[in-house]
Amino acid sequence: HSTKVQQGLRTRWRKILIRLLSFLAVLFLLGGILAYIPWVQTKLAKVLTGQLESRLDIHVEIDRIHMRFLNSSDIKGIYVADFHGDTLLYAERIQAQIQHLWFRKGDFALKRLTIENPVIKVQRYADDQRFDYEIFIDRLDSDTVTGASNPFKLRLDNFLLSGASIHYKDVQSTD
């Protein structure tokens, strides 16, 4: 009698485990399918810009994000303002082949990053001792500026900058 009870319990646990794994597989597939819907991608862009704006205390806009099953992304129309409201970076398109994205840890690894037709402004204003990019990078790297719990880590294996327009302005320069 006890072996029938044990077999019954094993069968019940096996069914529960199969149902749980099936549910998780369907949830994962549904999440993958939802990631391809433009409305979901627009929401993702808003969440991402909100996180960047709060972490860096600057204005960020992203027109569209297209994820390809979490191994690559295509960002169109990205604008990042500097700390004086001028353009720090504008790019028509940024493509990334992703190795891993660990948002909670702030740890990102990219196999390849391609930036197409960017406008990059490197400026130092009269009231700043440092260039705007130095401040930007310090805010990405530091947890003291905005109170973020984790520093930002990025590993990049391959980088391509295509059709760039780079502007340099140092109002403190004597030249």
Side-chain angles (χ1 to χ4, degrees):
H1 178 69
S2 71
T3 57
K4 285 186 177 184
V5 171
Q6 288 176 347
Q7 286 178 341
L9 285 174
R10 280 190 214 134
T11 302
R12 183 182 298 169
W13 280 109
R14 201 174 293 136
K15 285 180 182 179
I16 290 171
L17 183 61
I18 289 171
R19 286 180 184 158
L20 179 62
L21 290 175
S22 298
F23 173 74
L24 291 174
V26 167
L27 189 63
F28 181 73
L29 288 173
L30 183 61
I33 291 168
L34 286 175
Y36 285 99
I37 297 172
W39 179 83
V40 173
Q41 292 178 2
T42 300
K43 287 291 186 190
L44 178 63
K46 288 182 180 180
V47 167
L48 183 60
T49 57
Q51 288 178 348
L52 287 171
E53 284 182 339
S54 69
R55 181 172 181 98
L56 302 174
D57 194 28
I58 57 173
H59 180 67
V60 178
E61 292 178 22
I62 297 175
D63 292 337
R64 183 153 191 249
I65 295 178
H66 179 73
M67 297 291 293
R68 293 182 193 98
F69 207 64
L70 302 178
N71 65 354
S72 68
S73 69
D74 191 2
I75 301 172
K76 293 186 178 177
I78 184 166
Y79 169 79
V80 179
D82 69 8
F83 305 100
H84 292 271
D86 196 0
T87 301
L88 183 67
L89 169 72
Y90 171 80
E92 287 180 15
R93 184 176 190 186
I94 299 177
Q95 294 177 301
Q97 291 178 339
I98 302 165
Q99 186 168 348
H100 70 258
L101 301 174
W102 295 328
F103 290 100
R104 290 199 177 240
K105 292 181 179 180
D107 184 11
F108 306 93
L110 304 176
K111 295 177 191 172
R112 181 181 177 98
L113 181 68
T114 303
I115 303 177
E116 296 177 8
N117 303 319
V119 174
I120 301 168
K121 292 187 177 181
V122 179
Q123 300 183 72
R124 180 164 52 173
Y125 294 92
D127 58 340
D128 287 329
Q129 294 299 314
R130 300 180 306 156
F131 284 91
D132 49 6
Y133 269 94
E134 290 178 282
I135 298 167
F136 179 80
I137 290 169
D138 284 349
R139 288 192 182 188
L140 278 177
D141 195 34
S142 173
D143 61 353
T144 59
V145 175
T146 61
S149 60
N150 294 317
F152 180 87
K153 298 174 197 165
L154 173 66
R155 192 181 90 223
L156 178 60
D157 293 339
N158 192 335
F159 179 69
L160 176 65
L161 194 61
S162 169
S165 174
I166 301 173
H167 306 268
Y168 175 85
K169 182 179 180 183
D170 184 0
V171 297
Q172 294 185 0
S173 176
T174 58
D175 295 335

